[in-house]
Amino acid sequence: MGKKVYLTAAPQCPFPDAWIGNALKTGLFDYVWVQFYNNPPCQYSSSDINNLEAAWKQWTADIPATKIFLGLPAAPAAAGSGFIPADDLTSQVLPSIKNSSKYGGVMLWSKYYDDQTNYSSSIKSDV
């Protein structure tokens, strides 16, 4: 019996992704780790979740992946923009997106920054 192989991708949040948008629509991807940062039109900004929420809805409606993950920077220094304070993530963003049947969890960039901030520990129980 062979090993199960999962096909994943980590596109930028503007839809469709400029590089792999067509491939993502094939239905072959199991997990899609969307980078909801460094792209102001589709990311969280100063307590405003509208752009991120609209982008999330488009990704989950239009991409036939099993699960879609919310990709975020683990610290303000980890990305140029799009960092979400843990309190805002757990009180505003996650309640808005977790009801999606395609919600898979949160992906953080990167382990180095997470080690500095312990961001994952502060959100783990809410993810």
Side-chain angles (χ1 to χ4, degrees), residues 22-122:
N22 288 336
L24 290 171
K25 291 181 180 180
T26 63
L28 297 174
F29 288 80
D30 298 292
Y31 306 116
V32 178
W33 316 80
V34 183
Q35 299 173 43
F36 287 95
Y37 55 93
N38 288 336
N39 289 289
C42 53
Q43 71 185 27
Y44 170 93
S45 177
S46 302
S47 298
D48 181 359
I49 68 166
N50 292 326
N51 289 348
L52 186 150
E53 190 175 43
W56 175 265
K57 287 177 181 174
Q58 185 167 30
W59 277 97
T60 56
D62 294 348
I63 297 300
T66 305
K67 294 292 180 187
I68 296 184
F69 291 75
L70 179 70
L72 300 173
S81 60
F83 175 75
I84 304 177
D87 288 343
D88 291 356
L89 179 68
T90 58
S91 69
Q92 296 177 45
V93 177
L94 290 178
S96 172
I97 68 170
K98 281 177 71 171
N99 60 357
S100 167
S101 63
K102 291 186 181 176
Y103 172 78
V106 174
M107 169 200 71
L108 296 176
W109 176 262
S110 70
K111 173 85 167 81
Y112 170 81
Y113 287 103
D114 188 48
D115 285 346
Q116 307 298 310
T117 64
N118 293 313
Y119 189 83
S120 62
S121 296
S122 67

Side-chain angles (χ1 to χ4, degrees), residues 9-24:
Q12 299 289 313
C13 62
F15 192 90
D17 182 81
W19 300 103
I20 57 172
N22 288 336
L24 290 171

